[in-house]
Amino acid sequence: MSQGSTNPSEFFARHRDTLKEAVAAVHGRYHWSPYPESPSPKVYGPEAGPEGQAAFERYLGADFPLDQPGGGDRVVTERSPYGIALGTGYPHADVDTLLSAATAALPRWRDAGAEVRAGVCLEILHRLNRRSFEIAHAVQHTSGQAFVMAFQAGGPQAQDRGLEAVAYGYDLIARYAGAVRWEKPQRKGDPLVLQKRFHAVPRGVALVIGCNTFPTWNSYPGLFASLVTGNPVIVKPHPRAVLPLAITVAVAREVLAEAGYDPDTVLLAAEQPDERLAATLAVRPEVRIIDYTGSTEFGDWLERNAPQAFVNTEKAGVNPVVIDSTDDYAGMLGNLAFSLSLYSGQMCTTPQNIFVPRAGITTDEGHRSVEQVGADLAAAVDRLLGDTARATGVLGAIANDAVLARLEEAGGLGEVLLASRSVAHPDFAGATVRTPAIIRVGADRRDVYGREHFGPIAFLVPAADTGDALRLLRETVSERGALTAAVYTREADVLTAAERAALDAGVHLSANLTGQVFVNQSAAFSDYHGTGANPAATAALTDPRFVAGRFTFVQSRRPA
Amino acid sequence: MSQGSTNPSEFFARHRDTLKEAVAAVHGRYHWSPYPESPSPKVYGPEAGPEGQAAFERYLGADFPLDQPGGGDRVVTERSPYGIALGTGYPHADVDTLLSAATAALPRWRDAGAEVRAGVCLEILHRLNRRSFEIAHAVQHTSGQAFVMAFQAGGPQAQDRGLEAVAYGYDLIARYAGAVRWEKPQRKGDPLVLQKRFHAVPRGVALVIGCNTFPTWNSYPGLFASLVTGNPVIVKPHPRAVLPLAITVAVAREVLAEAGYDPDTVLLAAEQPDERLAATLAVRPEVRIIDYTGSTEFGDWLERNAPQAFVNTEKAGVNPVVIDSTDDYAGMLGNLAFSLSLYSGQMCTTPQNIFVPRAGITTDEGHRSVEQVGADLAAAVDRLLGDTARATGVLGAIANDAVLARLEEAGGLGEVLLASRSVAHPDFAGATVRTPAIIRVGADRRDVYGREHFGPIAFLVPAADTGDALRLLRETVSERGALTAAVYTREADVLTAAERAALDAGVHLSANLTGQVFVNQSAAFSDYHGTGANPAATAALTDPRFVAGRFTFVQSRRPA
């Protein structure tokens, strides 16, 4: 074990106030963040942008500098949705080497205690924050997100989610006494007195399985929740989105080593595209925690085939919107147009199904038929994306060929209200940029809108009336899951009914969003992401369940 | 839904202080209990004893008064280990009726909120406490526990564990804000402001599968943890120990109805002995939580075959004791003799394997060889159980024929240091009372001591030395699980090594118990029962994990 250059409790002392504020925020659920989301030179300094870009470019066509056990050969698997070649090589460790290194790291990390572990985690997050520009380029050129979104969602907002997980984990350990003198009075004579100590013991080796579209945001909650509760973590990135997690793992290993802990407490498991490394790792007895974002098929497989592990999955869903009425028709259209367009609809939180009463809706601009709502929404999307620079800033690029193929076939699913079109990117000639498609289908076509069409594909579905639309919301979410739901109404009783439907279906509801808050965005420390109460996810990022399954208390008692 | 006679928030107001103290105790982990454990007339009043006995006798040979859906025919399945006939009949509801009744009860119970639910739970516990004598007779004549133990472990101590679960559940919901005004500052203009509400949503129908030996103590944590977090509960008792849980269910239904909630929030699922009702219920999609105490075989089956559910199991284990040295040889022998004898060793926490260095041990009475330790321990057991009245008060009766058969064959497993003998019970001629057997086997006979021999069967196993004994502790616990471990030593470094071994194996350790605290007893609010970190159990009663898996937060947000 290398002797660290930093007293491990120094990191805790340095970040104690931030941790304290984070714990208060997860309890109070108000707005809070220590990591500024603006990629402005005024915030991050004038050098941060150019340095981040230079750091990113040094990775291109090179071996990623990661010193971990057993990385003999290299894997090169990434291709930017913007057309540039990445060509970065990552160590290709074998499963036994990874698992034995992680297992060996466990006892010292466990024995470090919650304070030291929280300090190390906060220092990792702090250094990741300082490298947000570098990470933003890495996220952009793996996920296809536009740069500003890649910075915000891949940098500070992902770091927020990581810190939130640390706060939950630290809090769920530290709030219970670590030691106590137990005195039980006796009817006669002296009390019985025992000295008791309680240790938080990690569950075991944790496996984080990353996704293509949000490599950091979706991985940090599991990564940091496992770390702070004492579990070594093997990070298995999506083969098309390795770089952002390779940087993350490298930073974690650097901080661990400085603090005198085994850097193998965090390991990277890069793989060839068809290696099925996640499945191989998931069923190993050493792997006791799994955090996964991806397809329903593999998520369900993990839930059934890894009974030894605490399994958290985020899978497909069919996010609904119910439009009953609105006091701000233009605001509603603009808000929905942005939600459908942001990152080309490639968010697990993007609305897919827009249910509208067949008789139309009441608005501040008068009655609107279903046809008008469809046409007006299509026009709002066109308006938003009319300017090419703004369009590419909103849309980003299509992450992979599967999304593209789905989009190209979407026209055949119903009546096309808005056709998808290509946009030429001003900076990246090879970028694959597409605008959203809006398709009208009947309420009887549950076979179409009742399953996920991941990407920029939305359905307008006329319902018999608002009650029927809420029934469709409830049923589709209960059957196929959803991470978000939205409703527009100016009727108090409809809002109540919508909240009831969302509660029954177990999905988070946003009502009457017309301004600069969007249904597909959630704020760490305040908004929960996922619920575990519908088929789209087993977990909420982050709630007590997500963290409490990662450790247990083991006690020792003796007469005092 | 019946209109209740009590304002539901009245129960919360009535028990608010108790709940507050319970929440403080689970955090502080000091000694605390609101339910007196002494069955004294001075504590419970002079009438409580006779009334409890009369209430118990009214159940004999009669239909248990339980008004729940679909109880057409009756099942009669209990036989007292003390030889008396119970003959109590219970409704034999079918699975679909139970599940649809429980499912229908969920929304109103969910919407009651954590405060009302906690109030109802505390009122149920309060009424159970007042009926502790009645429950004690029911526990005695189903489990075979002696009366005082049945009173303490089946009454107040079980109620403590129930209250502990309520405190954890209430606390894990109430500590997170139920509503917040979220204000996010903008660089230009007014802040973004949302009004957010957060609802704790239960996971679904919960199934509690009771055991023969501790029908209330092992069931109350799951029952009350599920209830307070909003889940309706179906209680499936062991066919030989129905009455204590039937009383519990009846009390719960009475309080629910008084508070205006659906009594079907708690249901009894009595069955014929070979019906396998637990397995049928466990795989139903409506069942989303399972709490189980019993065999490893069925526990493992549940963990693998009910992936839709949050499964908590407590299974078999091989509880170890390592004797290195002692400053109080007589106290150690007396303490161990009591631990082996209490309830005829039919506790999941009773020591089974006593590892002693082959060269013997150092004591305050001088050196003792392995042979002497074995003989002295056998003599201590004989001394403890020499008086028949005291013997039956400690031993209770053998719960069922499987334990008896195991005990009768134990002599063939090794060298008999102490043979089991029958004891005639002064009050119950038909009681099956047996003293413990102590068998010496070699450390190479892992095939014998490496598996559980549930009942009054202990093994003395000579080890090469103390380090080897600790290795055996670590290995047997890691392989087969344990709920308790104990060590006797006067060496600080041995104590440290024992704590390390217990931590690695994930088992609670008791050191140097020589007085009136016993390794097989755990105190609610302070001691954890089980860890989830070794094969004996997936859960600790009660820790954050045990409760947090039973609910999730669902939010609703809108512009303020």
Side-chain angles (χ1 to χ4, degrees):
Chain A
M1 212 72 61
S2 67
Q3 183 60 40
S5 57
T6 304
N7 181 329
S9 61
E10 212 176 288
F11 289 138
F12 179 74
R14 196 179 297 172
H15 300 293
R16 183 198 302 266
D17 291 346
T18 305
L19 181 62
K20 198 175 159 190
E21 288 180 52
V23 169
V26 300
H27 288 167
R29 308 211 69 75
Y30 42 75
H31 170 74
W32 183 77
S33 168
Y35 307 123
E37 68 183 5
S38 166
S40 160
K42 289 182 201 156
V43 177
Y44 282 89
E47 297 308 316
E51 281 175 11
Q53 178 147 11
F56 168 69
E57 285 167 359
R58 278 194 296 275
Y59 295 128
L60 302 180
D63 273 358
F64 187 89
L66 192 71
D67 178 26
Q68 69 175 32
D73 61 320
R74 298 255 151 185
V75 292
V76 181
T77 57
E78 294 161 304
R79 179 174 64 81
S80 169
Y82 291 90
I84 67 167
L86 267 67
T88 313
Y90 304 96
H92 189 208
D94 73 270
V95 166
D96 289 325
T97 304
L98 289 170
L99 288 171
S100 66
T103 301
L106 189 145
R108 263 183 50 82
W109 188 235
R110 171 193 70 195
D111 295 345
E115 285 204 355
V116 163
R117 289 194 303 263
V120 168
C121 286
L122 263 76
E123 179 66 18
I124 295 169
L125 286 163
H126 172 70
R127 295 191 193 181
L128 289 171
N129 179 250
R130 291 192 309 188
R131 292 169 73 165
S132 291
F133 283 90
E134 172 186 338
I135 290 170
H137 289 286
V139 169
Q140 176 179 18
H141 287 290
T142 50
S143 71
Q145 291 175 28
F147 180 77
V148 172
M149 178 170 175
F151 181 92
Q152 295 185 332
Q157 290 167 2
Q159 294 146 18
D160 276 346
R161 285 289 179 196
L163 176 55
E164 181 181 46
V166 173
Y168 268 95
Y170 174 76
D171 185 45
L172 280 176
I173 292 173
R175 77 165 67 259
Y176 302 97
V180 72
R181 185 181 159 92
W182 178 87
E183 298 196 35
K184 183 176 181 179
Q186 298 298 290
R187 275 189 297 173
K188 294 174 192 161
D190 293 335
L192 300 176
V193 185
L194 294 178
Q195 190 62 41
K196 301 184 182 183
R197 287 193 303 160
F198 308 95
H199 297 87
V201 167
R203 197 173 160 89
V205 175
L207 172 65
V208 172
I209 305 172
C211 67
N212 191 178
T213 47
F214 287 90
T216 56
W217 196 97
N218 271 86
S219 298
Y220 283 7
L223 168 62
F224 285 97
S226 284
L227 268 188
V228 74
T229 50
N231 306 276
V233 182
I234 296 173
V235 178
K236 206 297 289 172
H238 192 286
R240 274 192 297 266
V242 185
L243 185 55
L245 288 173
I247 297 169
T248 303
V249 168
V251 169
R253 293 174 60 85
E254 166 192 294
V255 176
L256 283 159
E258 275 182 40
Y261 291 96
D262 190 343
D264 293 344
T265 306
V266 180
L267 292 155
L268 186 74
E271 63 169 334
Q272 297 291 358
D274 295 316
E275 201 175 322
R276 290 188 62 77
L277 182 57
T280 306
L281 283 165
V283 297
R284 287 285 297 247
E286 301 95 324
V287 171
R288 302 298 312 280
I289 301 170
I290 299 173
D291 290 280
Y292 167 75
T293 312
S295 74
T296 292
E297 190 191 357
F298 189 54
D300 288 349
W301 185 91
L302 286 170
E303 290 168 33
R304 283 199 217 95
N305 291 284
Q308 86 289 357
F310 173 59
V311 177
N312 295 288
T313 64
E314 187 192 310
K315 302 169 290 186
V318 288
N319 303 320
V321 181
V322 168
I323 307 181
D324 166 74
S325 55
T326 178
D327 276 333
D328 181 3
Y329 188 56
M332 178 187 83
L333 293 171
N335 188 282
L336 280 177
F338 187 84
S339 282
L340 297 180
S341 303
L342 182 63
Y343 185 29
S344 318
Q346 298 170 111
M347 300 175 72
C348 50
T349 51
T350 305
Q352 174 177 298
N353 300 328
I354 304 169
F355 299 109
V356 182
R358 200 176 296 143
I361 63 168
T362 313
T363 82
D364 56 320
E365 300 179 22
H367 180 265
R368 286 292 181 276
S369 68
V370 173
E371 288 68 27
Q372 284 170 310
V373 171
D376 293 344
L377 183 58
V381 171
D382 269 341
R383 241 184 344 268
L384 174 70
L385 305 177
D387 173 73
T388 299
R390 185 163 72 174
T392 51
V394 173
L395 292 167
I398 299 297
N400 57 58
D401 292 342
V403 176
L404 201 60
R406 210 176 291 124
L407 181 58
E408 279 164 4
E409 287 166 16
L413 296 171
E415 178 194 348
V416 176
L417 304 183
L418 178 67
S420 176
R421 59 181 174 84
S422 292
V423 177
H425 198 289
D427 303 325
F428 297 101
T432 307
V433 183
R434 295 289 186 280
T435 64
I438 304 178
I439 317 287
R440 175 172 170 161
V441 296
D444 58 335
R445 296 306 306 276
R446 189 83 69 97
D447 60 314
V448 173
Y449 67 81
R451 58 193 166 86
E452 187 184 67
H453 302 256
F454 187 79
I457 303 165
F459 298 99
L460 185 75
V461 184
D465 53 24
T466 297
D468 190 48
L470 292 176
R471 177 184 63 81
L472 291 169
L473 177 154
R474 192 190 305 245
E475 288 179 9
T476 52
V477 173
S478 297
E479 284 165 20
R480 301 302 286 259
L483 287 164
T484 63
V487 63
Y488 289 90
T489 183
R490 50 188 197 182
E491 310 296 336
D493 59 337
V494 172
L495 190 50
T496 301
E499 288 190 329
R500 162 63 52 152
L503 211 57
D504 285 345
V507 65
H508 302 310
L509 181 72
S510 296
N512 297 328
L513 297 183
T514 55
Q516 293 305 302
V517 175
F518 304 95
V519 65
N520 30 354
Q521 295 179 330
S522 73
F525 305 104
S526 182
D527 292 320
Y528 295 103
H529 174 80
T531 65
N534 72 59
T538 61
L541 313 178
T542 294
D543 70 359
R545 194 202 78 90
F546 183 71
V547 175
R550 296 168 199 264
F551 72 96
T552 187
F553 289 112
V554 174
Q555 75 175 56
S556 169
R557 62 182 184 177
R558 62 178 89 157
Chain B
M1 214 73 60
S2 67
Q3 184 57 44
S5 57
T6 304
N7 179 329
S9 60
E10 212 175 289
F11 289 137
F12 180 74
R14 195 178 298 171
H15 300 294
R16 183 198 302 267
D17 290 347
T18 305
L19 180 62
K20 199 176 158 188
E21 287 179 54
V23 169
V26 300
H27 288 168
R29 310 211 69 77
Y30 41 76
H31 171 74
W32 183 78
S33 166
Y35 307 123
E37 69 182 7
S38 166
S40 158
K42 288 181 201 156
V43 177
Y44 282 89
E47 297 308 314
E51 280 174 12
Q53 177 147 12
F56 168 70
E57 285 168 358
R58 278 195 297 275
Y59 296 127
L60 301 180
D63 273 359
F64 187 89
L66 191 69
D67 178 25
Q68 68 175 33
D73 60 318
R74 298 257 149 184
V75 292
V76 180
T77 57
E78 294 160 304
R79 180 173 64 80
S80 168
Y82 290 90
I84 67 167
L86 266 66
T88 312
Y90 304 96
H92 189 210
D94 73 271
V95 166
D96 289 324
T97 305
L98 289 170
L99 288 171
S100 66
T103 301
L106 187 146
R108 263 181 53 79
W109 188 236
R110 171 192 69 196
D111 296 345
E115 284 203 354
V116 163
R117 289 195 302 264
V120 168
C121 287
L122 264 77
E123 180 65 21
I124 295 169
L125 287 163
H126 171 70
R127 294 192 194 181
L128 289 171
N129 179 250
R130 291 192 311 188
R131 291 168 74 165
S132 292
F133 282 91
E134 173 186 337
I135 289 171
H137 288 286
V139 169
Q140 176 179 20
H141 287 291
T142 51
S143 70
Q145 290 173 29
F147 180 77
V148 172
M149 177 169 174
F151 181 92
Q152 295 184 332
Q157 289 166 2
Q159 295 146 18
D160 276 345
R161 284 287 180 197
L163 176 56
E164 180 182 46
V166 172
Y168 267 96
Y170 173 77
D171 184 45
L172 280 176
I173 292 173
R175 78 168 62 260
Y176 301 97
V180 74
R181 185 180 159 93
W182 178 86
E183 299 195 34
K184 182 176 181 180
Q186 299 298 291
R187 272 189 298 172
K188 296 173 189 164
D190 293 335
L192 300 176
V193 184
L194 294 177
Q195 190 61 42
K196 301 184 182 182
R197 289 194 300 160
F198 308 95
H199 297 88
V201 167
R203 198 174 158 89
V205 175
L207 172 64
V208 172
I209 306 171
C211 66
N212 190 176
T213 47
F214 287 89
T216 56
W217 197 97
N218 271 86
S219 298
Y220 283 6
L223 168 61
F224 285 97
S226 284
L227 268 188
V228 74
T229 51
N231 305 276
V233 182
I234 297 173
V235 178
K236 207 295 291 172
H238 193 285
R240 273 192 297 265
V242 186
L243 186 55
L245 287 172
I247 296 169
T248 303
V249 168
V251 169
R253 293 173 61 85
E254 165 192 294
V255 176
L256 283 159
E258 274 182 40
Y261 291 95
D262 189 343
D264 294 345
T265 305
V266 179
L267 292 154
L268 185 74
E271 63 169 334
Q272 296 290 359
D274 293 318
E275 204 176 320
R276 289 188 61 79
L277 183 55
T280 306
L281 283 165
V283 297
R284 286 286 297 250
E286 301 95 323
V287 171
R288 303 297 312 282
I289 301 170
I290 299 172
D291 289 280
Y292 167 75
T293 311
S295 74
T296 292
E297 188 191 0
F298 189 53
D300 288 348
W301 185 91
L302 287 170
E303 290 167 33
R304 284 200 215 94
N305 290 282
Q308 87 289 358
F310 172 59
V311 178
N312 295 289
T313 63
E314 186 192 310
K315 302 170 289 187
V318 287
N319 303 318
V321 180
V322 168
I323 306 179
D324 165 76
S325 53
T326 178
D327 276 334
D328 181 3
Y329 188 60
M332 178 187 84
L333 293 172
N335 188 282
L336 279 177
F338 188 83
S339 282
L340 297 180
S341 304
L342 182 62
Y343 185 28
S344 318
Q346 298 171 109
M347 300 176 72
C348 49
T349 50
T350 304
Q352 175 178 298
N353 299 328
I354 303 168
F355 299 109
V356 182
R358 202 176 297 144
I361 62 169
T362 314
T363 82
D364 56 318
E365 301 180 21
H367 180 265
R368 285 292 181 276
S369 68
V370 174
E371 289 68 27
Q372 283 170 311
V373 171
D376 292 343
L377 182 59
V381 172
D382 268 343
R383 234 178 356 261
L384 173 71
L385 305 176
D387 173 75
T388 297
R390 186 164 72 171
T392 53
V394 172
L395 291 167
I398 297 298
N400 57 58
D401 291 344
V403 176
L404 201 60
R406 208 176 292 124
L407 181 58
E408 278 165 2
E409 287 166 17
L413 296 171
E415 178 195 347
V416 177
L417 303 184
L418 178 67
S420 175
R421 59 182 173 84
S422 292
V423 178
H425 197 290
D427 304 325
F428 297 101
T432 308
V433 183
R434 296 287 185 281
T435 63
I438 303 177
I439 316 286
R440 175 173 171 161
V441 295
D444 59 334
R445 296 306 307 276
R446 190 82 69 96
D447 61 313
V448 173
Y449 67 83
R451 57 193 166 86
E452 186 185 69
H453 301 255
F454 187 80
I457 303 164
F459 298 99
L460 185 75
V461 184
D465 52 28
T466 296
D468 189 49
L470 292 176
R471 177 184 64 80
L472 291 169
L473 178 154
R474 192 190 307 245
E475 289 179 7
T476 53
V477 173
S478 297
E479 284 166 18
R480 302 302 285 259
L483 288 164
T484 62
V487 64
Y488 288 89
T489 183
R490 50 187 195 181
E491 309 297 334
D493 60 336
V494 172
L495 190 51
T496 301
E499 288 190 330
R500 163 62 51 150
L503 210 58
D504 286 343
V507 65
H508 303 309
L509 181 72
S510 296
N512 296 329
L513 297 183
T514 55
Q516 291 307 300
V517 176
F518 303 96
V519 65
N520 31 354
Q521 294 178 332
S522 72
F525 306 103
S526 182
D527 292 321
Y528 295 103
H529 174 78
T531 65
N534 72 58
T538 62
L541 313 179
T542 294
D543 70 358
R545 194 203 78 91
F546 182 71
V547 175
R550 296 168 199 264
F551 72 97
T552 185
F553 289 111
V554 175
Q555 76 175 57
S556 169
R557 62 181 185 176
R558 62 177 87 157

